[in-house]
Amino acid sequence: MTPEDFDRLQSLLASRAGFRLTRDRMQLAEHRLGPVARREGYHNVEAMLASLWSRPVASLGWSVIEALLNGETWFRRDRAAFEVMERELLPALTAARPGGRVRIWCAGASTGQEAYSLAIAALEAGAQVEIEATDLSRQAIEKAASGLYTAFEIQRGLAARTMLRWFEQVDDQWRARPELRAAVKFRRANLLDEPVDEGRFDVVFCRHVLTDLAPERRARVLDGLERRLVDDGCLFLGRDERPEGDSVAFRPVAGRRGLYVKTSAAIRRAA
């Protein structure tokens, strides 16, 4: 891959998906694009990119973008966030919401481990939840909706008791049981796009997404999250992610790393 190709990939990823591709990932990018090139019938990555630049095709462009996304995830990642959900937020929100129903959006859900972790927490607590999980990658969403995981994936983050309670073995893989799959609705969505409906959520999980965003896109994504969150709702970011400098819409919760609530309208206007 030439430096010029990489520069154009950076621009493509930032403009279409909002994500940044740093120079130190050039070799990784070429490695990930190899299977895409072979699947699309090209001799190598350079030939595929030359075709894309000369005659842009939306489907090929998105295949390239999806191959370069960081889909790293596992069950109950950053365990403290799930403990706060289970012990504090779910009981409080259940008591405060009409009918006790809590709406959760898992944004940047990748292959579904985080969304299923939220569903397990809610089901084991007896809470009534609606969980919507979205990701830009079609392949990731298809895998998430199938509920199928390898032995390595299923053991990464789940205790044996939890694994056996909520998953069943299918040949050499493990599938989420029907009641767990029924608790989550998966769909493809781009965080840069306008929402497809006016629905709002009590809790938004958007963790380990801001880190990979191009700086000029973070404010737009945070604005979209703020508009989808109810006024007394909560936003979970990754432990080391902060919206400061990109948005005044959220303020941190003391002692709860990665947890934010919406800033009052008056403070946002003053800012």
Side-chain angles (χ1 to χ4, degrees):
M1 182 187 302
T2 67
E4 292 76 18
D5 277 335
F6 191 78
D7 289 342
R8 297 186 76 167
L9 280 177
Q10 287 179 310
S11 297
L12 177 69
L13 203 65
S15 63
R16 300 281 292 278
F19 288 93
R20 62 177 178 174
L21 188 63
T22 54
R23 182 68 63 176
D24 62 322
R25 299 184 70 188
M26 182 183 292
Q27 187 173 2
L28 176 62
E30 186 157 14
H31 173 73
R32 288 187 174 180
L33 291 177
V36 180
R38 291 191 292 273
R39 186 178 71 235
E40 297 292 335
Y42 293 95
H43 179 64
N44 55 32
V45 172
E46 288 76 11
M48 178 181 69
L49 293 179
S51 175
L52 181 62
W53 308 144
S54 65
R55 187 171 55 86
V57 176
S59 59
L60 178 58
W62 280 114
S63 293
V64 167
I65 289 170
E66 290 186 18
L68 297 175
L69 296 177
N70 179 11
E72 179 75 358
T73 187
W74 59 88
F75 289 97
R76 292 181 66 85
R77 183 180 185 179
D78 299 340
R79 190 170 296 270
F82 294 95
E83 292 174 352
V84 170
M85 274 293 295
E86 294 166 8
R87 300 173 185 176
E88 301 176 30
L89 289 184
L90 277 177
L93 289 170
T94 297
R97 296 299 183 255
R101 184 167 294 276
V102 178
R103 299 195 74 223
I104 302 172
W105 178 21
C106 185
S110 187
T111 45
Q113 287 93 320
E114 181 166 88
Y116 285 128
S117 297
L118 289 167
I120 289 171
L123 291 170
E124 291 192 342
Q128 298 183 59
V129 297
E130 296 177 14
I131 301 175
E132 183 169 317
T134 64
D135 197 85
L136 182 59
S137 170
R138 287 185 177 87
Q139 288 187 334
I141 285 296
E142 288 171 3
K143 177 179 173 65
S146 76
L148 274 173
Y149 297 97
T150 65
F152 171 77
E153 290 170 329
I154 201 69
Q155 293 173 28
R156 193 180 183 195
L158 287 183
R161 180 193 65 81
T162 304
M163 180 182 76
L164 295 172
R165 167 68 181 86
W166 294 105
F167 294 83
E168 54 190 352
Q169 192 164 10
V170 180
D171 298 325
D172 60 345
Q173 298 191 85
W174 292 79
R175 186 194 297 275
R177 295 185 184 276
E179 60 268 37
L180 186 58
R181 297 203 308 274
V184 187
K185 177 185 177 183
F186 290 100
R187 67 178 179 87
R188 182 180 180 272
N190 188 339
L191 291 176
L192 294 182
D193 292 343
E194 290 295 316
V196 296
D197 58 52
E198 297 299 321
R200 301 175 79 194
F201 297 89
D202 302 296
V203 180
V204 173
F205 266 64
C206 187
R207 305 189 309 151
H208 310 289
V209 174
L210 288 186
T211 300
D212 291 326
L213 287 177
E216 65 273 15
R217 299 296 185 182
R218 289 181 190 143
R220 180 172 173 176
V221 169
L222 285 164
D223 179 64
L225 299 179
E226 188 272 335
R227 284 187 288 139
R228 301 302 304 276
L229 195 62
V230 299
D231 289 341
D232 60 345
C234 297
L235 169 68
F236 281 89
L237 300 177
R239 287 173 55 84
D240 297 318
E241 293 177 319
R242 294 172 177 80
E244 290 90 342
D246 298 304
S247 173
V248 297
F250 300 100
R251 58 181 176 83
V253 176
R256 298 292 182 269
R257 191 171 175 182
L259 178 60
Y260 293 81
V261 293
K262 289 177 72 167
T263 306
S264 71
I267 292 177
R268 291 202 299 273
R269 284 194 298 269

